[in-house]
């Protein structure tokens, strides 16, 4: 089963998050990789270059990103990263909707052997430790939300006090309230 962490990150929270990630060698890839894509390091200086919504953080020191070429559909010619066999962390960024509400984002990684995904070997221990360190950072520095499945960045929590609505990005998602 995948490890999933749901969060709310305001732009300042994202800067702090990428400042933390800077100590690791993580390369950024979009969800659908154009053939001419040049990966770059995950650090605060490169935040303007990040894809708008979804991205992969590839632990390139641990292993390469396994990719397949998309042969049909609107993404034909692009590359698709195999998130099960590759040492990647998938991140769906927090973003605002039409009403100005902040939608939740999530971090997803597959670490275990599962029959559903076809993973035959568990993720390498180095990658498991790296992800657990990232997850621990979020759990330590972000506030718990209500419902309890969410973590709210400090800046997002301050914006909530000023009237920002935090909304679950799931279909018909409810609102989330940060704990004090």
């Amino acid at each position: 089963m995948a490890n999933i962490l749901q969060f709310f990150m305001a732009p300042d929270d994202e800067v702090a998050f990428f400042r933390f990630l800077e100590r690791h060698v993580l390369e950024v890839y979009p969800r659908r990789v154009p053939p001419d894509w040049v990966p770059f390091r995950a650090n605060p200086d490169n935040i303007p270059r990040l894809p708008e919504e979804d991205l992969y953080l590839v632990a390139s020191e641990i292993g390469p990103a396994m990719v397949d070429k998309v042969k049909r559909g609107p993404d034909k010619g692009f590359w698709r990263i195999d998130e099960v066999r590759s040492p990647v962390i998938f991140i769906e960024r927090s973003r605002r909707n039409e009403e100005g509400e902040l939608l939740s984002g999530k971090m997803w990684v597959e670490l275990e052997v599962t029959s559903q995904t076809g993973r035959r070997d568990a993720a390498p221990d180095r990658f498991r430790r790296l992800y657990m360190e990232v997850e621990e950072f979020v759990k330590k520095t972000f506030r718990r939300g209500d419902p309890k499945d969410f973590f709210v960045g400090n800046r997002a929590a301050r914006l909530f006090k000023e009237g920002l609505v935090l909304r679950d990005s799931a279909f018909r998602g409810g609102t989330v309230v940060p704990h004090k």
Side-chain angles (χ1 to χ4, degrees):
M1 187 166 154
N3 292 32
I4 299 173
L5 192 69
Q6 298 182 81
F7 55 78
F8 290 92
M9 282 192 211
D12 292 345
D13 297 324
E14 208 168 57
V15 169
F17 179 67
F18 276 88
R19 193 172 296 130
F20 169 79
L21 292 179
E22 196 170 25
R23 69 183 76 182
H24 302 290
V25 177
L26 295 168
E27 294 180 344
V28 176
Y29 287 83
R31 180 176 218 153
R32 294 287 176 247
V33 185
D36 59 346
W37 180 260
V38 178
F40 54 88
R41 288 281 301 267
N43 62 41
D45 299 333
N46 288 328
I47 287 179
R49 297 174 60 191
L50 292 176
E52 281 300 312
E53 294 180 3
D54 304 333
L55 59 104
Y56 289 105
L57 299 176
V58 178
S60 55
E61 281 189 334
I62 296 171
M66 307 270 195
V67 295
D68 299 318
K69 194 168 192 173
V70 179
K71 296 178 182 161
R72 291 185 210 104
D75 295 330
K76 183 178 180 179
F78 285 71
W79 292 93
R80 181 187 67 80
I81 292 181
D82 184 345
E83 62 248 331
V84 174
R85 296 184 302 146
S86 305
V88 298
I89 300 171
F90 175 76
I91 295 182
E92 185 180 300
R93 297 174 70 189
S94 292
R95 61 193 183 286
R96 293 199 183 231
N97 63 10
E98 302 83 38
E99 289 85 37
E101 302 168 330
L102 186 63
L103 297 175
S104 65
K106 74 174 115 180
M107 197 166 27
W108 179 93
V109 69
E110 184 63 61
L111 298 173
E112 306 298 330
V113 176
T114 61
S115 57
Q116 294 91 352
T117 59
R119 179 176 213 128
R120 295 186 191 111
D121 302 318
D125 285 338
R126 280 179 60 200
F127 181 62
R128 180 182 299 276
R129 283 193 303 272
L130 181 147
Y131 177 73
M132 292 303 176
E133 190 176 326
V134 171
E135 187 178 89
E136 184 180 330
F137 169 80
V138 171
K139 288 181 175 180
K140 262 182 160 174
T141 58
F142 286 27
R143 298 178 188 187
R144 277 281 218 200
D146 181 24
K148 66 179 181 171
D149 299 338
F150 293 90
F151 292 90
V152 181
N154 293 324
R155 183 66 182 143
R158 272 187 239 119
L159 291 172
F160 172 81
K161 285 182 180 177
E162 296 170 10
L164 177 67
V165 175
L166 304 177
R167 177 141 334 255
D168 182 359
S169 63
F171 180 68
R172 294 189 184 183
T175 58
V176 176
V177 177
H179 283 289
K180 295 178 189 200

